[in-house]
């Protein structure tokens, strides 16, 4: 293992600015999603995950894994969303022995309109300010970071590739 190194002042400033930009972007995306669609980021995450699943439903355990949330968080979120009429519990699997969760008509409608709002917000707050060259550099750098962290996670023995 290499010896830890400190950041020089310019690196520290760059890092702090990048973290602030990330926090502000996340905050604005979440606020506008809530304001314009009436759903939280957590609800949106669940709805999109279910919308992308085969048959618009999946096992609760698969949903938990997909979101990288603990099971109790998923259970509480699903209870709230069920009360709002966005999801319904179902039997899942060949013999219906596993608990499943699926989108309702209301959930499908909510996620469809929210995805349009969210895409518009991402475009407005992120893509519209980038040149194609800047976007290509950020994408390449982001892919490198993901690959490096996933490789480190795998070699550390936890087997998780998030």
């Amino acid at each position: 293992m290499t010896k830890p190194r400190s950041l020089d002042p310019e690196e520290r400033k760059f890092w702090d600015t990048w973290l602030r930009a990330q926090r502000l972007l996340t905050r604005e995306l979440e606020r506008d999603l809530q304001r314009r669609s009436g759903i939280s980021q957590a609800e949106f995450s669940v709805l999109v995950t279910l919308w992308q699943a085969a048959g618009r439903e999946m096992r609760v355990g698969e949903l938990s894994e997909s979101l990288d949330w603990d099971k109790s968080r998923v259970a509480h979120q699903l209870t709230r969303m069920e009360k709002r009429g966005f999801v319904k519990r179902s039997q899942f699997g060949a013999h219906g022995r596993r608990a499943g969760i699926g989108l309702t008509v209301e959930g499908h409608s909510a996620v469809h309109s929210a995805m349009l709002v969210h895409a518009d917000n991402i475009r407005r707050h992120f893509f519209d300010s980038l040149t194609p060259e800047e976007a290509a550099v950020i994408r390449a750098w982001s892919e490198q970071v993901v690959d490096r962290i996933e490789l480190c996670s795998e070699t550390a023995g936890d087997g998780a590739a998030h």
Side-chain angles (χ1 to χ4, degrees), residues 89-156:
R89 298 190 191 262
S90 62
Q91 297 301 315
F92 196 83
H95 303 289
R97 293 187 294 194
R98 298 180 183 176
I101 195 76
L103 284 180
T104 63
V105 172
E106 295 86 356
H108 188 274
S109 177
V111 72
H112 181 70
S113 64
M115 285 190 309
L116 293 173
V117 165
H118 195 58
D120 181 58
N121 288 335
I122 291 169
R123 182 167 308 290
R124 187 165 37 94
H125 292 298
F126 184 74
F127 285 110
D128 285 350
S129 67
L130 296 174
T131 66
E133 295 79 18
E134 290 168 332
V137 168
I138 292 170
R139 180 181 182 151
W141 173 79
S142 297
E143 289 169 351
Q144 289 172 3
V145 169
V146 168
D147 290 346
R148 192 173 328 117
I149 291 173
E150 286 179 345
L151 180 62
C152 288
S153 293
E154 289 169 4
T155 58

Side-chain angles (χ1 to χ4, degrees), residues 46-113:
V46 170
L47 290 170
V48 168
T49 303
L50 289 172
W51 183 81
Q52 293 172 333
R56 308 285 193 246
E57 68 176 1
M58 61 195 321
R59 288 185 312 105
V60 174
E62 290 173 330
L63 179 63
S64 178
E65 280 181 33
S66 180
L67 294 169
D68 198 22
W69 293 359
D70 64 55
K71 290 179 183 178
S72 65
R73 179 179 181 192
V74 171
H76 290 296
Q77 185 64 50
L78 292 176
T79 297
R80 289 188 296 271
M81 292 177 72
E82 202 170 18
K83 289 177 183 175
R84 291 193 66 187
F86 291 151
V87 297
K88 66 179 182 310
R89 298 190 191 262
S90 62
Q91 297 301 315
F92 196 83
H95 303 289
R97 293 187 294 194
R98 298 180 183 176
I101 195 76
L103 284 180
T104 63
V105 172
E106 295 86 356
H108 188 274
S109 177
V111 72
H112 181 70
S113 64

Side-chain angles (χ1 to χ4, degrees), residues 2-72:
T2 61
K3 184 178 178 180
R5 299 179 303 143
S6 64
L7 299 175
D8 67 40
E10 280 303 307
E11 290 171 326
R12 168 61 55 200
K13 185 177 179 183
F14 173 44
W15 179 253
D16 290 344
T17 301
W18 184 74
L19 287 177
R20 184 163 188 246
Q22 204 177 21
R23 282 190 310 268
L24 290 171
L25 179 61
T26 299
R27 184 189 73 196
E28 287 307 305
L29 291 174
E30 290 175 2
R31 282 181 180 175
D32 216 32
L33 182 66
Q34 179 72 45
R35 185 174 48 80
R36 292 175 60 193
S37 297
I39 63 172
S40 68
Q41 181 61 46
E43 289 170 323
F44 182 71
S45 296
V46 170
L47 290 170
V48 168
T49 303
L50 289 172
W51 183 81
Q52 293 172 333
R56 308 285 193 246
E57 68 176 1
M58 61 195 321
R59 288 185 312 105
V60 174
E62 290 173 330
L63 179 63
S64 178
E65 280 181 33
S66 180
L67 294 169
D68 198 22
W69 293 359
D70 64 55
K71 290 179 183 178
S72 65

